[in-house]
Amino acid sequence: DMIQATDGSWWMVHLAFRPAVDGIHFIGRETCLTPVDWKTGERPIVNGNGQSEIINTKTPPNYDAQIPQPFGTIVVTDFDKPFGFEWLYLRNPNPLNYSTTERAGYLRLKGAAASLYDLDSPTMIARRQQHFDFTAITSIDYNPKQISEEAGLTIMMDNRFHYDLFISQVNGKRVINLRYTLDALNQVMQQIPLPDGAIELMVKGDKKMYSFYYKSRNGKAVEIGKLNTRFLGTEVSGGYNGVIIGLYATGNGKPASANADFDWFKYQPE
């Protein structure tokens, strides 16, 4: 869209994406505002050279620099009040699988039969990755009862391309897992026994890597592994909506018998 401001200047509102490394992008398309030179009798020229730029210091008239910048501050969700507009479901959710009242102060997820690999609606809420450099942390209280059950945090482009940090059961014991799914490639690359009690799951991102951590109560954050951002990029995966950061639970083929309780979630731009 082309808009003329009160001072007579012209601006273009458009969609664009920010490449990370080697031209690959994994953050979804964003709404941008770019100045336009449009002289009488001539064609409009975007940004003086026909191209929009990632960094543009020119601002519209009446711009108030004192107004807090959107998406530039830490966002904490405590699940004891209505969700912010940043949260989304994947496809059509079953509302019976989500509760903020069964356990006060927690988001309770009841794992459906649908998994993260299915073109379906697994039990999951998510928000978009909006920054190259960020930290996302959540606290989860979860004790799976069956070997098929899992719950945790996913970094997802689509059902074929995602990285998952999750709790499951092996030989009757809780373990934390780091798994990658890259189309036909599906592999748990790390698995570590867990103590009892709630734990924190954390992912730190930059342009090149996602780093995954867990922390038990009163413990230190332990890195469990790193995975490359490029494999979730549009140029590799074919997805174009951008990566989302999700909290999920699934029974992987049948409804789960154990509930996953999330105490809070924090998204911090770096």
Side-chain angles (χ1 to χ4, degrees), residues 17-243:
F17 62 81
R18 292 177 286 158
V21 178
D22 298 330
I24 289 177
H25 74 283
F26 46 86
I27 294 179
R29 295 175 298 176
E30 299 169 295
T31 303
C32 302
L33 184 66
T34 302
V36 176
D37 294 324
W38 197 353
K39 298 178 181 178
T40 302
E42 298 182 8
R43 297 191 180 198
I45 300 176
V46 175
N47 205 35
N49 60 7
Q51 296 185 1
S52 182
E53 297 177 355
I54 294 178
I55 298 176
N56 191 333
T57 58
K58 187 174 181 181
T59 57
N62 301 325
Y63 172 77
D64 187 353
Q66 302 302 314
I67 298 176
Q69 296 298 299
F71 315 123
T73 58
I74 298 173
V75 179
V76 179
T77 303
D78 287 322
F79 301 123
D80 55 0
K81 50 190 174 184
F83 295 170
F85 290 114
E86 70 271 19
W87 290 100
L88 55 87
Y89 295 109
L90 186 61
R91 305 181 186 92
N92 298 311
N94 181 349
L96 298 179
N97 290 332
Y98 304 80
S99 175
T100 56
T101 58
E102 288 188 11
R103 184 177 179 184
Y106 286 78
L107 168 66
R108 171 161 288 181
L109 298 184
K110 303 176 182 182
S115 73
L116 298 181
Y117 315 107
D118 298 326
L119 278 173
D120 204 330
S121 184
T123 304
M124 183 176 83
I125 65 165
R127 59 157 296 151
R128 298 193 180 280
Q129 179 183 343
Q130 296 168 295
H131 306 80
F132 291 125
D133 300 301
F134 75 95
T135 299
I137 314 174
T138 190
S139 175
I140 179 175
D141 189 3
Y142 179 59
N143 292 285
K145 297 179 180 179
Q146 305 293 331
I147 59 173
S148 62
E149 298 177 354
E150 65 180 69
L153 183 151
T154 182
I155 305 295
M156 172 181 283
M157 174 60 85
D158 60 25
N159 63 299
R160 299 175 303 119
F161 290 83
H162 47 93
Y163 300 147
D164 313 315
L165 181 63
F166 64 96
I167 298 171
S168 66
Q169 182 204 110
V170 175
N171 297 324
K173 302 293 185 180
R174 289 199 319 164
V175 294
I176 187 166
N177 309 264
L178 179 59
R179 176 181 61 207
Y180 61 80
T181 297
L182 303 172
D183 204 0
L185 302 176
N186 180 280
Q187 180 69 40
V188 173
M189 60 176 288
Q190 185 67 280
Q191 189 175 82
I192 299 173
L194 282 177
D196 294 335
I199 66 167
E200 292 181 13
L201 306 177
M202 177 169 65
V203 57
K204 296 177 70 69
D206 58 36
K207 286 186 175 182
K208 292 184 178 181
M209 305 295 291
Y210 294 112
S211 301
F212 296 86
Y213 304 80
Y214 74 97
K215 185 173 75 170
S216 57
R217 185 169 297 172
N218 301 321
K220 294 183 178 180
V222 177
E223 183 176 311
I224 189 171
K226 296 179 182 290
L227 289 165
N228 202 300
T229 61
R230 69 182 295 115
F231 298 119
L232 300 188
T234 292
E235 292 74 13
V236 176
S237 68
Y240 67 90
N241 288 327
V243 165

